[in-house]
């Protein structure tokens, strides 16, 4: 049997449920047939959305801003998690997509008076196209070379944003984004800007989580995990690395693009040194690693820790950031698989000890 037939045979097998492990099949069966779990998720989402209408009055504008940035970081972390968590490739260029989405929103809002709701699908589409273009070049590399190439695209994007003055207004950036009363929804509303942005971001994070879950349980998710765990073996049995890697990069780029669009409307200003900052990459990496790579709730949890923890450490004044860094190191050492995985292990051991105690009685 020739190599082509072997490759075709194994890739066809990947399309069928026979290639799933017994544990994965059991998990998918349980998730799909348990209506109580689905109902619980729906109730949580509706509750989180409803809280947004009263949250600004409860926690104040400053902490509301932290919540909104926590949601933006959550989108970015979920985007990077597709490459880092499921595929195992470290990308240092996702700020490129965030900045591009922010500039798309800024230009459409100030030049064509597009509302945020109209900008979101456009930003997602155009940013995914940019992700496709970046992937054509970067995905030819592996390991540290892939990381360096993606980082280079971020540097190039920032340089272009600074020098294309007629389009981007250069280093001064674009301001007065979404300054009109109907700029967010397309119609006038009495809701505050932070409330509208909160509701939209919660919806986007939930959508990103559902997309991530669907991909994880699909043949593409199984291909990502196979390539992550043993790329040579996966290639030998016919799993094509390039197309599945390109898919993860394009979907992650779209998530970053919509996050950048909301950021542009919320802050009303987009500048190259902000939206293409390497600090955004650090934020994504810390959120994914701290929360738990390859999970869905982990990156979201890590993003909120990254958004809130430095603010609660302000009592330490100039020692705030060093203390935060030390805490991150300690947490990563204690939970190398992420805090979510650590929490699941603790819960599992607690349940086991309780069962043993009940059995002894």
């Amino acid at each position: 049997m020739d190599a082509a037939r072997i490759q075709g045979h194994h890739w066809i097998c990947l399309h069928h449920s026979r290639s799933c492990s017994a544990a994965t099949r059991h998990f998918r069966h349980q998730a799909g047939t348990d209506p109580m779990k689905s109902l619980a998720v729906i109730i949580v989402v509706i509750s989180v959305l409803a809280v947004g209408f009263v949250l600004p009055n409860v926690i104040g504008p400053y902490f509301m801003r932290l919540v909104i940035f926590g949601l933006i970081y959550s989108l970015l972390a979920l985007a990077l998690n597709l490459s880092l968590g499921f595929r195992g490739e470290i990308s240092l260029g996702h700020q490129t997509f965030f900045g591009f989405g922010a500039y798309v929103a800024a230009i459409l809002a100030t030049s064509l008076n597009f509302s945020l709701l109209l900008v979101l699908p456009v930003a997602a589409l155009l940013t995914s196209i940019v992700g496709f273009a970046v992937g054509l070049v970067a995905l030819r590399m592996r390991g540290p070379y892939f990381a360096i190439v993606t980082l280079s695209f971020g540097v190039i994007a920032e340089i272009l944003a600074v020098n294309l003055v007629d389009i981007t207004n250069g280093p001064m950036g674009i301001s007065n984004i979404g300054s009109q009363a109907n700029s967010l929804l397309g119609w006038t509303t009495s809701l505050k800007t932070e409330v509208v942005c909160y509701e939209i971001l919660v919806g986007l994070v939930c959508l990103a989580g559902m997309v991530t879950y669907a991909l994880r349980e699909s043949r593409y998710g199984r291909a990502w995990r196979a390539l992550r765990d043993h790329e040579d073996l996966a290639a030998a049995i016919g799993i094509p690395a390039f197309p599945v890697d390109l898919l993860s990069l394009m979907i992650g780029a779209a998530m970053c693009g919509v996050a950048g669009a909301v950021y542009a409307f919320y802050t009303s200003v987009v500048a190259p040194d902000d939206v293409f900052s390497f600090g955004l990459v650090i934020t994504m990496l810390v959120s994914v690693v701290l929360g738990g790579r390859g999970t869905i709730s982990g990156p979201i949890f890590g993003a909120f820790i990254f958004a809130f923890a430095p603010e609660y450490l302000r009592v330490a004044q100039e020692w705030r950031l060093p203390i935060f860094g030390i805490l991150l190191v300690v947490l990563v050492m204690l939970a190398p698989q992420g805090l979510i995985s650590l929490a699941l292990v603790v819960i599992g051991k607690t349940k086991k000890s309780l069962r043993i105690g009940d059995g002894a009685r």
Side-chain angles (χ1 to χ4, degrees):
M1 184 180 294
D2 57 16
R5 290 181 63 190
I6 293 175
Q7 185 177 23
H9 169 73
H10 285 285
W11 181 240
I12 289 173
C13 287
L14 187 64
H15 285 247
H16 297 279
S17 60
R18 290 196 302 271
S19 63
C20 299
S21 64
T24 303
R25 288 198 303 269
H26 176 73
F27 175 78
R28 294 178 67 189
H29 173 75
Q30 293 296 327
T33 57
D34 190 349
M36 294 305 295
K37 290 183 179 180
S38 301
L39 180 61
V41 171
I42 294 174
I43 292 175
V44 169
V45 172
I46 294 175
S47 301
V48 173
L49 288 171
V51 164
F53 293 103
V54 297
L55 199 59
N57 297 326
V58 175
I59 64 176
Y62 177 74
F63 284 100
M64 188 65 185
R65 184 179 182 87
L66 293 180
V67 170
I68 290 176
F69 272 94
L71 291 169
I72 292 175
Y73 294 159
S74 297
L75 274 176
L76 296 177
L78 287 171
L80 182 63
N81 191 42
L82 293 177
S83 297
L84 177 60
F86 295 120
R87 178 58 182 88
E89 289 285 356
I90 299 178
S91 170
L92 300 180
H94 272 55
Q95 80 276 20
T96 307
F97 312 130
F98 177 81
F100 184 82
Y103 267 102
V104 167
I107 293 171
L108 291 178
T110 56
S111 301
L112 301 176
N113 293 323
F114 271 41
S115 66
L116 176 56
L117 291 183
L118 290 178
V119 163
L120 288 176
V122 178
L125 176 61
L126 294 181
T127 313
S128 64
I129 294 174
V130 173
F132 176 80
V134 171
L136 291 178
V137 178
L139 290 174
R140 306 294 179 182
M141 313 294 178
R142 283 290 177 263
Y145 303 102
F146 173 77
I148 292 172
V149 171
T150 54
L151 177 61
S152 301
F153 276 104
V155 175
I156 292 170
E158 183 175 359
I159 293 173
L160 289 175
V162 171
N163 289 280
L164 296 176
V165 180
D166 294 337
I167 301 175
T168 64
N169 199 29
M172 299 298 294
I174 302 175
S175 57
N176 295 323
I177 304 166
S179 57
Q180 299 180 7
N182 61 346
S183 295
L184 293 175
L185 301 176
W187 62 85
T188 303
T189 176
S190 59
L191 296 175
K192 297 180 180 179
T193 300
E194 55 264 29
V195 173
V196 176
C197 290
Y198 171 88
E199 302 293 342
I200 291 175
L201 282 169
V202 169
L204 290 174
V205 171
C206 292
L207 179 61
M210 289 188 292
V211 169
T212 302
Y213 176 81
L215 288 171
R216 186 184 68 180
E217 301 305 314
S218 70
R219 57 190 176 93
Y220 298 108
R222 298 192 293 273
W224 287 335
R225 292 192 292 274
L227 289 165
R228 177 194 64 192
D229 296 338
H230 204 305
E231 185 168 350
D232 292 335
L233 180 59
I237 65 174
I239 299 177
F242 184 79
V244 293
D245 288 349
L246 190 59
L247 177 66
S248 69
L249 194 62
M250 290 177 64
I251 296 176
M255 292 181 184
C256 291
V258 296
V262 178
Y263 170 87
F265 273 81
Y266 178 66
T267 61
S268 298
V269 62
V270 171
D273 56 345
D274 288 333
V275 296
F276 294 112
S277 170
F278 186 72
L280 289 171
V281 180
I282 303 300
T283 301
M284 298 181 220
L285 286 172
V286 171
S287 300
V288 173
V289 174
L290 183 62
R293 290 173 290 174
T295 65
I296 298 175
S297 57
I300 299 174
F301 185 58
F304 274 91
I305 291 178
F306 193 89
F308 276 87
E311 302 304 321
Y312 280 101
L313 291 173
R314 283 192 179 275
V315 293
Q317 298 179 1
E318 67 269 13
W319 294 98
R320 173 174 62 100
L321 294 180
I323 292 174
F324 181 57
I326 294 172
L327 289 176
L328 289 178
V329 172
V330 172
L331 288 174
V332 171
M333 292 176 63
L334 293 176
Q337 301 302 319
L339 294 177
I340 292 297
S341 298
L342 178 63
L344 292 176
V345 170
V346 172
I347 292 173
K349 289 183 177 179
T350 303
K351 289 183 177 179
K352 184 177 179 180
S353 62
L354 291 175
R355 285 196 298 266
I356 293 175
D358 292 338
R361 294 176 186 176

